[in-house]
Amino acid sequence: MHSFSQRLPVDWLREHLAADATHYLFPTIVQRLTHRPETPLQWRCQQLLTVNTGEQVWGLLDVLPDTFDKIPETLDTASQKDIVSRIERAVKVREWMERMGVEAGS
């Protein structure tokens, strides 16, 4: 709706994400698009996704703050640190797609 720049197509997510896995989202920075003042403030989040090969991949997702606030917090501090550490070691979504021969729209 807002044409955020950091997002994966819904069809790609449906095809490649492990449906029974837990996926993680951490807000990282406040994103203001000064060149597009009609675009609302957004949070750029790091995401740790488990794909259908069982691997975890790292990506970014721009989210409206009100949307993010509706997601319940389920992790304690130690678990959050573990997830951040896993994000730092994970392959990027784009690298995984290149290695698997997958296109963003497929």
Short mmCIF file of all heavy atoms in Angstrom, two decimals, residues 3 9 13 17-19 30 46-47 53-54 61 78 86 90-91 97-99 103 106:
data_model
loop_
_atom_site.label_atom_id
_atom_site.label_comp_id
_atom_site.label_asym_id
_atom_site.label_seq_id
_atom_site.Cartn_x
_atom_site.Cartn_y
_atom_site.Cartn_z
N SER A 3 4.24 1.20 -0.62
CA SER A 3 5.42 0.95 -1.46
C SER A 3 6.71 1.06 -0.65
O SER A 3 7.67 1.69 -1.07
CB SER A 3 5.45 1.91 -2.65
OG SER A 3 4.33 1.72 -3.46
N PRO A 9 7.87 -10.23 -1.68
CA PRO A 9 6.51 -10.46 -2.18
C PRO A 9 5.80 -11.58 -1.39
O PRO A 9 6.42 -12.57 -1.02
CB PRO A 9 6.73 -10.88 -3.64
CG PRO A 9 8.09 -10.37 -3.99
CD PRO A 9 8.88 -10.40 -2.73
N LEU A 13 7.02 -15.42 -0.06
CA LEU A 13 6.98 -15.89 1.32
C LEU A 13 6.18 -17.19 1.42
O LEU A 13 6.62 -18.14 2.07
CB LEU A 13 6.35 -14.82 2.22
CG LEU A 13 7.18 -13.54 2.38
CD1 LEU A 13 6.35 -12.45 3.05
CD2 LEU A 13 8.46 -13.79 3.14
N LEU A 17 8.89 -19.95 2.70
CA LEU A 17 9.01 -20.01 4.15
C LEU A 17 8.52 -21.34 4.68
O LEU A 17 7.58 -21.93 4.16
CB LEU A 17 8.20 -18.89 4.81
CG LEU A 17 8.73 -17.48 4.72
CD1 LEU A 17 7.93 -16.55 5.62
CD2 LEU A 17 10.21 -17.39 5.06
N ALA A 18 9.18 -21.81 5.72
CA ALA A 18 8.74 -23.02 6.42
C ALA A 18 7.48 -22.64 7.21
O ALA A 18 7.55 -21.81 8.12
CB ALA A 18 9.84 -23.53 7.33
N ALA A 19 6.38 -23.22 6.85
CA ALA A 19 5.09 -22.83 7.44
C ALA A 19 5.00 -23.10 8.93
O ALA A 19 4.34 -22.37 9.66
CB ALA A 19 3.95 -23.56 6.71
N VAL A 30 14.42 3.91 12.88
CA VAL A 30 13.24 4.65 12.42
C VAL A 30 13.56 5.13 11.01
O VAL A 30 14.61 5.73 10.77
CB VAL A 30 12.94 5.84 13.34
CG1 VAL A 30 11.81 6.68 12.77
CG2 VAL A 30 12.61 5.35 14.74
N GLN A 46 14.95 -5.94 11.30
CA GLN A 46 15.69 -7.12 10.86
C GLN A 46 14.76 -8.31 11.05
O GLN A 46 14.03 -8.37 12.03
CB GLN A 46 16.94 -7.33 11.71
CG GLN A 46 17.96 -6.23 11.55
CD GLN A 46 19.18 -6.53 12.38
OE1 GLN A 46 19.87 -7.51 12.14
NE2 GLN A 46 19.43 -5.68 13.37
N GLN A 47 14.81 -9.23 10.11
CA GLN A 47 13.98 -10.42 10.25
C GLN A 47 14.84 -11.66 10.09
O GLN A 47 15.79 -11.68 9.31
CB GLN A 47 12.84 -10.42 9.24
CG GLN A 47 13.26 -10.28 7.80
CD GLN A 47 12.08 -10.13 6.86
OE1 GLN A 47 10.93 -10.26 7.25
NE2 GLN A 47 12.35 -9.87 5.60
N THR A 53 14.00 -25.10 3.29
CA THR A 53 15.16 -26.00 3.33
C THR A 53 15.63 -26.21 4.77
O THR A 53 16.54 -26.98 5.01
CB THR A 53 16.34 -25.44 2.51
OG1 THR A 53 16.75 -24.19 3.10
CG2 THR A 53 15.97 -25.26 1.06
N GLY A 54 15.04 -25.47 5.72
CA GLY A 54 15.44 -25.55 7.12
C GLY A 54 16.47 -24.50 7.52
O GLY A 54 16.77 -24.34 8.69
N LEU A 61 12.69 -5.65 6.75
CA LEU A 61 11.27 -5.42 6.50
C LEU A 61 10.90 -4.08 7.08
O LEU A 61 11.20 -3.79 8.24
CB LEU A 61 10.43 -6.52 7.16
CG LEU A 61 8.92 -6.40 6.99
CD1 LEU A 61 8.51 -6.59 5.53
CD2 LEU A 61 8.21 -7.41 7.87
N ALA A 78 17.42 -13.05 27.23
CA ALA A 78 18.42 -14.03 26.77
C ALA A 78 18.05 -14.58 25.40
O ALA A 78 18.91 -14.74 24.53
CB ALA A 78 18.55 -15.17 27.79
N ARG A 86 21.99 -15.10 16.00
CA ARG A 86 21.68 -15.94 14.84
C ARG A 86 21.49 -15.09 13.59
O ARG A 86 21.89 -15.50 12.49
CB ARG A 86 20.45 -16.79 15.13
CG ARG A 86 20.79 -17.88 16.13
CD ARG A 86 19.63 -18.53 16.82
NE ARG A 86 18.55 -18.98 15.97
CZ ARG A 86 17.37 -19.33 16.46
NH1 ARG A 86 17.12 -19.30 17.75
NH2 ARG A 86 16.42 -19.73 15.65
N ALA A 90 23.44 -15.48 9.97
CA ALA A 90 22.57 -15.99 8.90
C ALA A 90 22.97 -15.43 7.54
O ALA A 90 23.46 -14.31 7.42
CB ALA A 90 21.11 -15.65 9.19
N VAL A 91 22.72 -16.21 6.51
CA VAL A 91 22.93 -15.76 5.14
C VAL A 91 21.79 -14.79 4.79
O VAL A 91 20.67 -14.94 5.27
CB VAL A 91 22.99 -16.96 4.18
CG1 VAL A 91 21.67 -17.70 4.10
CG2 VAL A 91 23.44 -16.55 2.81
N MET A 97 18.68 -16.83 -2.19
CA MET A 97 17.96 -16.93 -3.46
C MET A 97 18.92 -17.20 -4.61
O MET A 97 18.64 -18.03 -5.48
CB MET A 97 17.15 -15.66 -3.72
CG MET A 97 15.96 -15.51 -2.80
SD MET A 97 14.79 -14.18 -3.20
CE MET A 97 15.81 -12.78 -3.49
N GLU A 98 20.07 -16.50 -4.63
CA GLU A 98 21.06 -16.72 -5.68
C GLU A 98 21.59 -18.15 -5.65
O GLU A 98 21.70 -18.81 -6.68
CB GLU A 98 22.20 -15.72 -5.55
CG GLU A 98 21.79 -14.29 -5.90
CD GLU A 98 22.88 -13.27 -5.58
OE1 GLU A 98 23.94 -13.64 -5.03
OE2 GLU A 98 22.62 -12.08 -5.86
N ARG A 99 21.89 -18.64 -4.45
CA ARG A 99 22.42 -19.99 -4.31
C ARG A 99 21.39 -21.04 -4.72
O ARG A 99 21.74 -22.05 -5.33
CB ARG A 99 22.85 -20.21 -2.85
CG ARG A 99 23.64 -21.49 -2.67
CD ARG A 99 24.13 -21.67 -1.27
NE ARG A 99 23.01 -22.07 -0.43
CZ ARG A 99 22.74 -21.57 0.77
NH1 ARG A 99 23.49 -20.64 1.28
NH2 ARG A 99 21.72 -21.99 1.45
N GLU A 103 14.14 -16.58 -7.87
CA GLU A 103 13.94 -15.17 -8.13
C GLU A 103 13.00 -14.59 -7.08
O GLU A 103 12.18 -15.30 -6.52
CB GLU A 103 13.35 -14.94 -9.52
CG GLU A 103 14.32 -15.33 -10.63
CD GLU A 103 13.75 -15.04 -12.01
OE1 GLU A 103 12.94 -14.11 -12.12
OE2 GLU A 103 14.11 -15.74 -12.94
N SER A 106 9.36 -15.30 -7.55
CA SER A 106 8.89 -16.68 -7.71
C SER A 106 8.68 -17.36 -6.39
O SER A 106 9.07 -16.93 -5.36
CB SER A 106 9.91 -17.49 -8.52
OG SER A 106 11.09 -17.69 -7.79
#
